[in-house]
Structures are given as structure tokens and as C-alpha cells.
Amino acid sequence: AIAGSSAPMGKLVCAMVQERGGKADSTVWCHGDRVPASEAAFANAIMGRCRELDDVHEGSPRLSIGHGGHINVMIVPAALAAVENSPQPVDGKSLITAIAIGGDLIARLRMAAGAAGRVGWEGPTVAPFGVAATVGKLLQFDPTLLANAMGAAYAHCCGNILSTSDGTWDVWLNAGMAARAGLIAAELAARGHQGAGSPLLGESGLYPLYFRGEYHQEALLSGLATEFESGNVSVKPYPSCKGTHRAIYTTLILM
């Protein structure tokens, strides 16, 4: 995000949230302005993404499949925005736990879609669920509140991979939208929102609608609460799509 704060997309989004103003909840990193928590999460996630340095889920040793896509670039900005705006102090252990849970969920949700998980969608598409789980954990939601947050999160799921082929900036925008969406979903639930009861497997739920009916239960549920997919991420050594790294590495070795 420090690197991304000087990128054209980083500058653009920070200027936008600063000009929009609003309640001074959380900090826009590197710039220092305080804006509504959802807008801070939005801007900070985009700054974290737009230099192509954010981590990537590398696949699951548990399942010998992958990958879950980009993970913490949505989770961490939303978590820190929520913590900064929390009415109660949050200790480090609670923060780490919440981040681990949210990242685990994003990777599991995408892997559970099998091959369909990579047909037009990417990690940020399902990330509102993970972000809502992280924020809900930080704010100590009970199961009912968390379920309502998940319903609201599904209503916010969006994003696509078109910009990875046409070279535009929307691929970074997806991360900001996901971070903001999950945080808003949690806030709505805290205020009494009644969310969809079956956001994953309902008639028009995530898997029937977004993933063409493909659903692999083992990928989503096996090892739950004992094995965390959020641990299977790597930091990029090169600032580009992870799909290009083998070519970059090989070229450097040959040189």
C-alpha cells in the first residue's frame, strides 16, 4: 500500500475518498486523512493491490488443488479500518485470528467452485464473505448477526477478470469493492439488517448462480477450524501477475 500510494490508481482513489469526506472513522494510509471506515478500506485495498505486490493463495496441500487468488489485500485493510473505528479495544491475538478466519473463507469459497471458480471470476468476487467474517469476528458477532452479514455480503459480490486481458485498472478496483462491501455488510447486520438465509446454496445462491451449479463440499468444509488456507499464501517477488513469475524467474536465471 505504501508503494501503491504513489501509483496513478492509488492517487486517484485517495483523492476521491478525501473529497467525498464524511465521518472521520479510519485512516487513509500514507495520506493521513480520516474518512468513513468503508471508504478507508476501499482506498487502502486498492493501494495495496495496484502495484501488483499483494499476496496470492498458492493452492491447498489439504486438497492438492488451487488456487484461491488474492486474499489479504481485501482482508487486512477492512480489518484495520474496523479496528480503528471499533468502540472497544482489539488486541493483537484477536486481530490475527479474525484475519486468518476471513482469508481461510475466501480461499475455500473459490476452491469449492472447482473449475467454475476461475471462469470469469476471481478471489475478490467472493471476498465480501471473508471480509464480513473478519469484521464480524472482530466485533464479536453472534451466529445470527454473522448469518445476516453473510446474506448482505452475497448481495455485494461482484468483480470479474476482464481487465486482466484488456490491461485496464478494474482488476485493482475489484479489491477495493470487496473490502468495502464486506465491511458494509457487517455494519448493516449490526444495525439489524435481515440477510438472505441461504447465500451459498439457495436457488439463486452463489454456487447455483455464479458458478453454474458446480460445488465441491469437501473443498469448503474439510479441515474447517483446524487447517487454515490463509496460511497457504505467498508474497510476490516480482510486481506483476503471479502467472508471469515463472517466465521472469527463468529469464533471470538464463541471463
Side-chain angles (χ1 to χ4, degrees), residues 145 148 185-195:
L145 278 179
N148 284 325
E187 182 177 346
L188 284 168
R191 291 174 177 269
H193 174 75
Q194 300 294 303

Side-chain angles (χ1 to χ4, degrees), residues 5-151:
S5 67
S6 63
M9 180 62 169
K11 291 179 179 179
L12 181 157
V13 72
C14 287
M16 186 182 78
V17 299
Q18 288 164 341
E19 289 171 12
R20 293 177 69 182
K23 189 179 176 185
D25 293 331
S26 307
T27 304
V28 180
W29 299 340
C30 305
H31 295 268
D33 298 76
R34 293 176 69 93
V35 297
S38 59
E39 298 306 296
F42 176 69
N44 294 339
I46 289 174
M47 286 195 293
R49 183 77 180 87
C50 67
R51 290 291 195 193
E52 290 288 347
L53 285 163
D54 55 307
D55 62 28
V56 179
H57 179 263
E58 292 294 332
S60 174
R62 171 176 60 94
L63 300 168
S64 299
I65 62 171
H67 64 84
H70 300 273
I71 302 293
N72 286 312
V73 73
M74 286 86 66
I75 295 290
V76 173
L80 295 183
V83 165
E84 197 171 2
N85 188 41
S86 172
Q88 301 295 330
V90 177
D91 61 38
K93 183 177 181 181
S94 297
L95 177 62
I96 292 169
T97 301
I99 290 172
I101 289 170
D104 183 52
L105 183 56
I106 293 174
R108 286 172 176 271
L109 284 168
R110 193 179 187 202
M111 289 192 299
R118 304 191 67 183
V119 180
W121 309 115
E122 62 169 358
T125 304
V126 299
F129 290 105
V131 173
T134 291
V135 176
K137 179 67 174 175
L138 288 170
L139 300 182
Q140 301 179 5
F141 281 9
D142 62 27
T144 299
L145 278 179
L146 196 55
N148 284 325
M150 290 299 165

